[in-house]
DNA sequence: TTGTAAGCGTTATCAT
DNA sequence: ATGATAACGCTTACAA
C-alpha cells in the first residue's frame, strides 16, 4: 500500500501534477471547477502533501530555529508559544533546541538545526561562543536575539537591557531607604541574562556608594526555590545587617521569602525582597513579590512580526533587510515585599 | 555566492559525492585517509549538509511530532525536554504543536505536522476528536499517548490513570477522616486529564457514600493561581461545611491555600488541600502541599526509549511493532496540607 | 573502497 | 488556465 502522491491525485482528476500543486497552494489561477474536483479527490484519497519534497524544490523549509536554555521557565515558554502562534499564520513552524545553558551544546544544536535550512534563527540571548556567533552570522538568514539587548548584537534584537534592570532595582531600593543590598544569583552563569542583571546591580551599588558589594551565588541556572531557601541563612550569616535581597528570578525570590517567614524575619519590615519575571507566583503569594514584569507574550509576537516582515511573508511592504531593535518594557512593579 | 553543496566538496577533494556522503555518515567504509581529507575540506568550505534533500532521498525525516496543550506547564515542559534529549542521541528532532486544549486546533496542527513526514507522533493525552484519532491511526507511524492511560489507546501509552489518581485521593482523605470533600477544577475541559481526575473523584465519592458530590469548576484550563483564589470564597459559601478540597493542579491548590490563609481558614486544621503534579511550589510553600508526584522526566525518557526501539534506532534488538504500555507511578505524597 | 545512475515528490519556469 | 520539463541536493542500489 504505497503512499499517495500528487501524481496519483492528478491522474484521478485528469489533470497534471502541476495543476494539483497550484490548486493546493491557492494560486488562484486554477479554475474553480478544476479546483473543486481536485480538493475532492485529495479528500477521497487521503492525500497528504509531502512538505519535504516541496521544501527541497521551493528552497523554503518553512522552519524557524529557536534556541532556548529550556522551556521549563514559564515566561520563556510563553514567548515561544506566542512566537509559534504568530508564525503559524504564515505557515512557518518552529524547531526548538534546548541549550541547557551550555555553550557547547548550543554550538552542536546550531550545527544540527542549520542542516534543516531554517529561514531564520531566534535565540534567547544568554551569551554565545565565538563559534556560535559565527555560525549564526554566516547562516545568511535573519537572526533575532530575544530577552536581552546585547551591546554588540548579531542582528535583530527583541528585548530589554538586563543590566539596566539590575541597576534600576538598586536605584528603586535606594530611593526607598534601603542601604545594605545583596544579590542572590547563580553560579556558572557566564553570559546569561541573570549574570547581566547582577552586573547592573554591582555597577549601581558602586555608583551610589552603597558600601561593599554583596553577591551570593548559590547554584547553577536555573536556581530552584529550595536552593534559594537554603541560601538565605548563609547570606544572613555572612552579612547580618543586609536590609534587601535582589533575586535573579521570582522562584528564587519566593524561596527567600518562604525561608524568611520560616525564620521569623519580617518582610518587608526587616528585609526587602525583589524578584524578576512576574511569574504567576509573585502575584499570588503573601505578601506579593515586588518584581520586574516583562510582557513575555509580546516578545514572541514582536519577534514573529519582525520575522514575517523580513521573510517577506507579511502583507505589509517588505522592509529592506536592516537589523532592527524592538524595545520591550521591563516594568519594576512594587508590591508587598518592599516598603514604599 | 552560491551555497556549497556536497558536489563542491567532492570535486575539491577529488572523489565522488557519494564518498563524501558516506564519510559524513560514518559509514565506516570510507578509507581513513580519504575521510580525513573530506572532513578537512568540509571545514574549509564551511559545508553544511542539506537535511531536506537527505530526507527526501532517504525517506526519513528525522522528526517526531509532539502535540501538547502548551509548554507553560513545567512538568509537561520537562517531559518534552527529556524526550528531546533522549531522541537527540539518535539524531531525531522534535516538532512541537501547541493545541491550547482546543480540539479543532489539534486537528489542524496534526494535518500540518503530518506534511513534515514525522517518523512518530507523541501526544499529550487530552481527549481527541474522532478525526484526530483517525489522522493519527492512519498516519502509519507509531503514536504514543503520554500523561494518561486512556481506556482505548490509539497505540502506545506512557502514563498513568488520571481517573485512578482522582479516586486514590478520595480514599486517602477518607482514611484520614475527611468526610465532606469538594473538587476544584476547570470548565470546558472535556477529555482533559483534569476532567479524568475529576471523574475519578466523583466516582469514588459515590462509591464511599460520602454524601453529595461537590464539584466546582472555575475557569478554562489551565486554571491560574489567582482564579483558584477567587474560587475558594464561592465554594465556602456554597458548601460551608466542606473539610477538604481536591484541586486539579498544584498552582490551583496553592491559590486555594493562599486564599485560605488570607481568610483565616486553618490548613489543614479546618480545611485540607490536595494538589496535583508536584510542582516546585508545592514543596516550598508553608505548609507544603500534599500532592501527587509524577516523574515527568521519566515520561519523556521512556517515550524516547520506546520510540527508538520502534523506529529501529536502538542498539537493542528491534522489537516487533506491537503497541506497548509503560506505566508511570503517580505517587500520593502527604505533606502539610492534610493531617495524618 | 569507490563510483554511476536513478530516483525521492515537489515546484519553478517556460510553453501553450 | 494548464502542461511539460527540469531542477532541488541528497541517498539507494548496484556496479566496478
Amino acid at each position: 500500500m504505497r503512499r499517495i502522491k500528487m501524481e496519483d491525485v492528478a491522474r484521478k482528476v485528469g489533470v497534471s501534477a502541476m495543476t494539483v500543486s497550484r490548486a493546493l497552494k491557492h494560486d488562484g489561477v486554477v479554475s474553480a471547477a478544476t479546483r473543486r474536483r481536485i480538493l475532492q479527490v485529495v479528500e477521497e484519497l487521503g492525500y497528504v502533501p509531502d512538505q519535504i519534497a516541496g521544501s527541497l524544490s521551493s528552497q523554503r523549509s518553512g522552519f524557524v530555529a529557536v534556541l532556548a536554555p529550556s522551556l521549563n521557565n514559564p515566561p520563556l515558554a510563553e514567548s515561544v508559544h506566542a512566537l509559534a502562534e504568530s508564525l503559524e499564520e504564515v505557515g512557518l513552524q518552529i524547531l526548538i533546541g534546548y541549550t541547557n545553558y551550555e555553550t557547547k551544546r548550543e554550538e552542536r544544536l546550531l550545527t544540527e538545526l542549520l542542516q534543516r535550512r531554517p529561514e531564520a534563527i531566534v535565540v534567547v540571548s544568554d551569551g554565545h561562543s565565538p563559534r556560535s556567533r559565527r555560525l549564526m552570522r554566516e547562516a545568511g538568514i535573519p537572526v533575532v536575539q530575544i530577552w536581552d539587548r546585547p551591546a554588540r548584537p548579531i542582528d535583530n534584537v527583541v528585548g530589554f537591557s538586563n543590566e539596566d534592570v539590575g541597576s534600576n532595582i538598586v536605584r528603586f531600593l535606594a530611593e526607598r531607604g534601603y542601604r545594605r543590598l545583596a544579590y542572590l544569583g547563580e553560579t556558572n552563569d557566564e553570559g546569561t541574562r541573570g549574570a547581566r542583571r547582577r552586573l547592573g546591580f554591582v555597577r549601581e551599588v558602586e555608583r551610589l556608594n552603597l558600601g561593599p558589594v554583596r553577591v551570593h551565588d548559590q547554584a547553577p541556572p536555573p536556581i530552584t526555590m529550595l536552593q534559594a531557601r537554603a541560601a538565605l541563612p548563609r547570606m544572613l550569616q555572612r552579612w547580618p545587617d543586609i536590609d534587601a535581597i535582589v533575586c535573579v528570578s521570582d522562584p528564587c525570590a519566593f524561596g527567600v521569602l518562604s525561608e524568611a517567614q520560616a525564620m521569623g524575619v519580617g518582610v518587608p519590615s526587616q528585609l526587602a525582597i525583589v524578584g524578576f519575571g512576574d511569574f504567576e507566583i509573585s502575584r499570588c503569594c503573601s505578601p506579593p513579590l515586588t518584581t520586574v514584569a516583562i510582557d513575555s507574550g509580546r516578545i514572541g509576537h514582536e519577534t514573529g512580526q519582525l520575522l514575517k516582515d523580513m521573510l517577506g511573508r507579511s502583507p505589509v511592504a517588505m522592509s529592506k533587510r536592516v537589523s532592527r531593535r524592538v524595545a520591550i518594557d521591563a516594568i519594576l512593579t512594587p508590591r508587598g515585599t518592599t516598603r514604599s
Side-chain angles (χ1 to χ4, degrees), chain A:
Chain A
M1 176 172 161
R2 238 180 65 270
R3 178 161 246 151
I4 311 295
K5 49 181 155 180
M6 203 175 260
E7 176 90 29
D8 301 317
V9 176
R11 196 170 321 112
K12 180 142 184 188
V13 176
V15 294
S16 74
M18 212 36 238
T19 302
V20 175
S21 174
R22 288 195 267 249
L24 294 177
K25 283 291 174 41
H26 318 109
D27 251 23
V29 307
V30 179
S31 81
T34 314
R35 176 135 194 276
R36 199 158 13 77
R37 277 191 304 142
I38 288 174
L39 293 182
Q40 185 189 318
V41 171
V42 161
E43 190 61 27
E44 276 174 33
L45 264 38
Y47 168 65
V48 178
D50 185 332
Q51 189 160 179
I52 293 179
S55 290
L56 177 60
S57 179
S58 66
Q59 296 292 78
R60 301 175 119 211
S61 66
F63 283 131
V64 168
V66 175
L67 288 166
S70 125
L71 295 189
N72 228 316
N73 174 321
L76 263 194
E78 194 182 331
S79 288
V80 173
H81 193 141
L83 173 61
E85 299 211 316
S86 168
L87 295 178
E88 191 183 291
E89 294 166 10
V90 295
L92 284 168
Q93 261 148 7
I94 269 184
L95 220 40
I96 296 182
Y98 298 95
T99 67
N100 293 345
Y101 294 99
E102 297 163 33
T103 317
K104 270 298 163 215
R105 246 183 92 82
E106 183 174 76
E107 285 177 15
R108 217 187 51 240
L109 285 167
L110 218 34
T111 311
E112 280 165 20
L113 293 179
L114 252 18
Q115 310 197 151
R116 300 284 191 182
R117 296 288 184 263
E119 302 186 25
I121 302 174
V122 173
V123 52
V124 174
S125 197
D126 262 324
H128 313 289
S129 69
R131 182 173 163 76
S132 287
R133 293 181 69 93
R134 193 170 59 69
L135 284 169
M136 290 193 255
R137 213 187 302 269
E138 292 178 358
I141 52 183
V143 174
V144 189
Q145 288 172 283
I146 64 175
W147 277 89
D148 194 24
R149 293 180 136 265
R152 299 194 309 104
I154 298 172
D155 186 3
N156 305 280
V157 173
V158 176
F160 54 92
S161 163
N162 280 275
E163 187 178 332
D164 287 353
V165 166
S167 297
N168 292 341
I169 293 173
V170 171
R171 268 203 306 286
F172 168 88
L173 289 170
E175 282 164 13
R176 276 157 185 76
Y178 294 101
R179 286 293 172 272
R180 293 173 305 283
L181 321 183
Y183 188 89
L184 173 51
E186 294 153 333
T187 56
N188 289 102
D189 63 350
E190 202 191 345
T192 63
R193 290 153 290 133
R196 308 239 307 142
R197 293 195 288 278
R198 182 176 51 210
L199 178 64
F201 170 92
V202 170
R203 291 208 168 143
E204 197 66 20
V205 163
E206 289 172 341
R207 195 173 303 137
L208 298 182
N209 262 311
L210 291 177
V213 172
R214 304 178 190 85
V215 169
H216 178 89
D217 293 330
Q218 177 74 9
I223 187 173
T224 67
M225 292 180 181
L226 257 18
Q227 289 166 335
R229 277 193 86 136
L232 181 61
R234 299 201 207 178
M235 294 178 78
L236 290 176
Q237 188 181 354
R238 198 162 157 200
W239 305 297
D241 63 340
I242 52 177
D243 56 10
I245 297 184
V246 178
C247 299
V248 68
S249 68
D250 279 354
C252 174
F254 180 75
V256 170
L257 173 62
S258 302
E259 185 62 20
Q261 291 174 336
M263 292 174 73
V265 175
V267 175
S269 56
Q270 293 172 263
L271 185 71
I273 300 174
V274 181
F276 172 83
D278 195 25
F279 285 57
E280 204 184 354
I281 182 75
S282 69
R283 298 163 180 272
C284 192
C285 61
S286 314
L289 278 172
T290 292
T291 188
V292 177
I294 309 294
D295 190 339
S296 333
R298 202 178 143 232
I299 293 182
H301 280 118
E302 294 284 356
T303 304
Q305 199 51 56
L306 192 158
L307 288 179
K308 286 188 272 192
D309 286 0
M310 293 238 158
L311 299 176
R313 308 230 185 173
S314 176
V316 193
M318 176 182 166
S319 36
K320 324 96 201 136
R321 272 254 26 211
V322 272
S323 301
R324 276 190 270 164
R325 319 274 136 98
V326 178
I328 298 292
D329 293 325
I331 302 170
L332 194 17
T333 310
R335 292 208 273 247
T337 53
T338 48
R339 59 173 181 255
S340 42

